[in-house]
Amino acid sequence: MGDVPVEMSRERFEELVGDALDEVPEELLTLMSNVVILVEDDPPPGEPELLGLYEGHALTERGWDYSGVLPDRILIYRRPILRICDSDEDVVDEVAVTVVHEIAHHFGIDDDRLHELGWG
């Protein structure tokens, strides 16, 4: 999928995702329900610039009949993030923004509102 300006092991990248999660207020983390956060190297075919993806049912869409479903997934894509960053510091910042962006989708916040808030 092309060279990346910043070289970073998957393990280090996963640590940065963990660090970003550590910065999310505990009050929000405790409200998250039935969701897993995963690191993948590459996004789905045809979407090479996708940095992250939320798959599932936002908390705002869950009704009384929400049960027995697989966990929602937040996917953070390593190679696209490394491709758009020029330094390790840029990667730290972009991972944090991407993690917050995808968590916001879990809470039902759409892309337009995230861009208004500066988390686009």
Side-chain angles (χ1 to χ4, degrees):
M1 294 209 88
D3 292 329
V4 294
V6 179
E7 294 291 330
M8 183 176 291
S9 71
R10 184 178 172 110
E11 293 78 19
R12 174 67 180 133
F13 189 87
E14 288 174 350
E15 286 175 13
L16 294 181
V17 170
D19 292 346
L21 286 169
D22 289 343
E23 296 300 316
V24 175
E26 186 65 32
E27 298 81 23
L28 288 180
L29 290 177
T30 59
L31 294 173
M32 292 176 65
S33 174
N34 199 33
V35 61
V36 296
I37 299 171
L38 305 167
V39 171
E40 297 284 338
D41 285 334
D42 298 304
E47 301 192 60
E49 297 177 12
L50 191 63
L51 306 181
L53 180 65
Y54 172 73
E55 295 179 332
H57 304 278
L59 294 175
T60 55
E61 298 172 359
R62 296 179 185 180
W64 62 269
D65 58 346
Y66 178 83
S67 65
V69 297
L70 292 174
D72 293 0
R73 296 182 341 147
I74 291 175
L75 301 159
I76 308 298
Y77 298 114
R78 185 174 70 91
R79 286 192 183 113
I81 290 175
L82 295 179
R83 266 197 303 277
I84 67 166
C85 294
D86 294 320
S87 68
D88 285 359
E89 293 79 22
D90 288 346
V91 175
V92 170
D93 293 341
E94 191 57 52
V95 165
V97 168
T98 303
V99 167
V100 168
H101 182 103
E102 301 309 328
I103 287 174
H105 287 319
H106 179 68
F107 285 99
I109 302 172
D110 66 18
D111 281 330
D112 290 338
R113 183 66 179 136
L114 284 167
H115 284 279
E116 289 173 13
L117 295 170
W119 292 98

